[in-house]
PDB file of all heavy atoms in Angstrom:
ATOM      1  N   THR A 266       5.809   0.461  57.194  1.00 87.00           N
ATOM      2  CA  THR A 266       6.600  -0.709  56.806  1.00 87.00           C
ATOM      3  C   THR A 266       5.719  -1.739  56.113  1.00 87.00           C
ATOM      4  O   THR A 266       6.102  -2.311  55.094  1.00 87.00           O
ATOM      5  CB  THR A 266       7.284  -1.330  58.041  1.00 87.00           C
ATOM      6  OG1 THR A 266       8.165  -0.365  58.612  1.00 87.00           O
ATOM      7  CG2 THR A 266       8.052  -2.586  57.687  1.00 87.00           C
ATOM      8  N   GLY A 267       4.529  -1.954  56.640  1.00 88.00           N
ATOM      9  CA  GLY A 267       3.602  -2.906  56.039  1.00 88.00           C
ATOM     10  C   GLY A 267       3.177  -2.490  54.642  1.00 88.00           C
ATOM     11  O   GLY A 267       3.085  -3.327  53.728  1.00 88.00           O
ATOM     12  N   ILE A 268       2.920  -1.203  54.462  1.00 88.00           N
ATOM     13  CA  ILE A 268       2.540  -0.697  53.131  1.00 88.00           C
ATOM     14  C   ILE A 268       3.698  -0.902  52.159  1.00 88.00           C
ATOM     15  O   ILE A 268       3.492  -1.352  51.028  1.00 88.00           O
ATOM     16  CB  ILE A 268       2.124   0.784  53.202  1.00 88.00           C
ATOM     17  CG1 ILE A 268       0.800   0.922  53.963  1.00 88.00           C
ATOM     18  CG2 ILE A 268       2.014   1.395  51.808  1.00 88.00           C
ATOM     19  CD1 ILE A 268       0.439   2.350  54.335  1.00 88.00           C
ATOM     20  N   PHE A 269       4.901  -0.610  52.605  1.00 90.00           N
ATOM     21  CA  PHE A 269       6.058  -0.820  51.744  1.00 90.00           C
ATOM     22  C   PHE A 269       6.213  -2.300  51.393  1.00 90.00           C
ATOM     23  O   PHE A 269       6.404  -2.661  50.230  1.00 90.00           O
ATOM     24  CB  PHE A 269       7.343  -0.310  52.396  1.00 90.00           C
ATOM     25  CG  PHE A 269       8.550  -0.601  51.556  1.00 90.00           C
ATOM     26  CD1 PHE A 269       8.851   0.200  50.470  1.00 90.00           C
ATOM     27  CD2 PHE A 269       9.350  -1.700  51.825  1.00 90.00           C
ATOM     28  CE1 PHE A 269       9.944  -0.086  49.660  1.00 90.00           C
ATOM     29  CE2 PHE A 269      10.439  -1.996  51.016  1.00 90.00           C
ATOM     30  CZ  PHE A 269      10.739  -1.183  49.935  1.00 90.00           C
ATOM     31  N   ARG A 270       6.116  -3.167  52.383  1.00 92.00           N
ATOM     32  CA  ARG A 270       6.274  -4.603  52.134  1.00 92.00           C
ATOM     33  C   ARG A 270       5.208  -5.117  51.162  1.00 92.00           C
ATOM     34  O   ARG A 270       5.496  -5.921  50.280  1.00 92.00           O
ATOM     35  CB  ARG A 270       6.221  -5.380  53.450  1.00 92.00           C
ATOM     36  CG  ARG A 270       7.466  -5.196  54.306  1.00 92.00           C
ATOM     37  CD  ARG A 270       7.275  -5.745  55.723  1.00 92.00           C
ATOM     38  NE  ARG A 270       6.665  -7.057  55.749  1.00 92.00           N
ATOM     39  CZ  ARG A 270       7.326  -8.195  55.955  1.00 92.00           C
ATOM     40  NH1 ARG A 270       8.629  -8.174  56.135  1.00 92.00           N
ATOM     41  NH2 ARG A 270       6.693  -9.348  55.984  1.00 92.00           N
ATOM     42  N   MET A 271       3.994  -4.648  51.341  1.00 93.00           N
ATOM     43  CA  MET A 271       2.905  -5.074  50.472  1.00 93.00           C
ATOM     44  C   MET A 271       3.174  -4.651  49.023  1.00 93.00           C
ATOM     45  O   MET A 271       3.087  -5.468  48.105  1.00 93.00           O
ATOM     46  CB  MET A 271       1.574  -4.483  50.946  1.00 93.00           C
ATOM     47  CG  MET A 271       0.403  -4.795  50.034  1.00 93.00           C
ATOM     48  SD  MET A 271      -1.128  -3.983  50.555  1.00 93.00           S
ATOM     49  CE  MET A 271      -0.724  -2.262  50.266  1.00 93.00           C
ATOM     50  N   THR A 272       3.515  -3.388  48.835  1.00 93.00           N
ATOM     51  CA  THR A 272       3.721  -2.906  47.467  1.00 93.00           C
ATOM     52  C   THR A 272       4.984  -3.509  46.854  1.00 93.00           C
ATOM     53  O   THR A 272       4.983  -3.908  45.686  1.00 93.00           O
ATOM     54  CB  THR A 272       3.755  -1.368  47.396  1.00 93.00           C
ATOM     55  OG1 THR A 272       4.756  -0.868  48.282  1.00 93.00           O
ATOM     56  CG2 THR A 272       2.416  -0.772  47.766  1.00 93.00           C
ATOM     57  N   PHE A 273       6.046  -3.618  47.639  1.00 95.00           N
ATOM     58  CA  PHE A 273       7.272  -4.191  47.094  1.00 95.00           C
ATOM     59  C   PHE A 273       7.093  -5.668  46.758  1.00 95.00           C
ATOM     60  O   PHE A 273       7.583  -6.139  45.721  1.00 95.00           O
ATOM     61  CB  PHE A 273       8.458  -4.005  48.045  1.00 95.00           C
ATOM     62  CG  PHE A 273       9.734  -4.496  47.437  1.00 95.00           C
ATOM     63  CD1 PHE A 273      10.354  -3.787  46.425  1.00 95.00           C
ATOM     64  CD2 PHE A 273      10.278  -5.710  47.831  1.00 95.00           C
ATOM     65  CE1 PHE A 273      11.505  -4.266  45.826  1.00 95.00           C
ATOM     66  CE2 PHE A 273      11.433  -6.185  47.236  1.00 95.00           C
ATOM     67  CZ  PHE A 273      12.052  -5.465  46.227  1.00 95.00           C
ATOM     68  N   SER A 274       6.383  -6.388  47.593  1.00 96.00           N
ATOM     69  CA  SER A 274       6.120  -7.802  47.297  1.00 96.00           C
ATOM     70  C   SER A 274       5.343  -7.941  46.002  1.00 96.00           C
ATOM     71  O   SER A 274       5.622  -8.824  45.181  1.00 96.00           O
ATOM     72  CB  SER A 274       5.334  -8.455  48.442  1.00 96.00           C
ATOM     73  OG  SER A 274       6.126  -8.534  49.594  1.00 96.00           O
ATOM     74  N   HIS A 275       4.385  -7.069  45.789  1.00 96.00           N
ATOM     75  CA  HIS A 275       3.597  -7.109  44.567  1.00 96.00           C
ATOM     76  C   HIS A 275       4.477  -6.787  43.350  1.00 96.00           C
ATOM     77  O   HIS A 275       4.351  -7.425  42.299  1.00 96.00           O
ATOM     78  CB  HIS A 275       2.411  -6.139  44.657  1.00 96.00           C
ATOM     79  CG  HIS A 275       1.397  -6.363  43.598  1.00 96.00           C
ATOM     80  ND1 HIS A 275       0.588  -7.470  43.567  1.00 96.00           N
ATOM     81  CD2 HIS A 275       1.079  -5.638  42.506  1.00 96.00           C
ATOM     82  CE1 HIS A 275      -0.198  -7.410  42.504  1.00 96.00           C
ATOM     83  NE2 HIS A 275       0.086  -6.311  41.838  1.00 96.00           N
ATOM     84  N   ILE A 276       5.364  -5.832  43.508  1.00 97.00           N
ATOM     85  CA  ILE A 276       6.300  -5.510  42.423  1.00 97.00           C
ATOM     86  C   ILE A 276       7.195  -6.713  42.128  1.00 97.00           C
ATOM     87  O   ILE A 276       7.400  -7.072  40.968  1.00 97.00           O
ATOM     88  CB  ILE A 276       7.136  -4.266  42.772  1.00 97.00           C
ATOM     89  CG1 ILE A 276       6.243  -3.017  42.748  1.00 97.00           C
ATOM     90  CG2 ILE A 276       8.330  -4.117  41.828  1.00 97.00           C
ATOM     91  CD1 ILE A 276       6.884  -1.790  43.359  1.00 97.00           C
ATOM     92  N   ALA A 277       7.722  -7.336  43.166  1.00 97.00           N
ATOM     93  CA  ALA A 277       8.601  -8.497  42.974  1.00 97.00           C
ATOM     94  C   ALA A 277       7.859  -9.626  42.257  1.00 97.00           C
ATOM     95  O   ALA A 277       8.400 -10.238  41.326  1.00 97.00           O
ATOM     96  CB  ALA A 277       9.149  -8.981  44.315  1.00 97.00           C
TER      97      ALA A 277
END
Side-chain angles (χ1 to χ4, degrees):
T266 299
I268 291 168
F269 176 80
R270 288 168 46 102
M271 176 184 67
T272 56
F273 185 73
S274 292
H275 194 70
I276 290 168

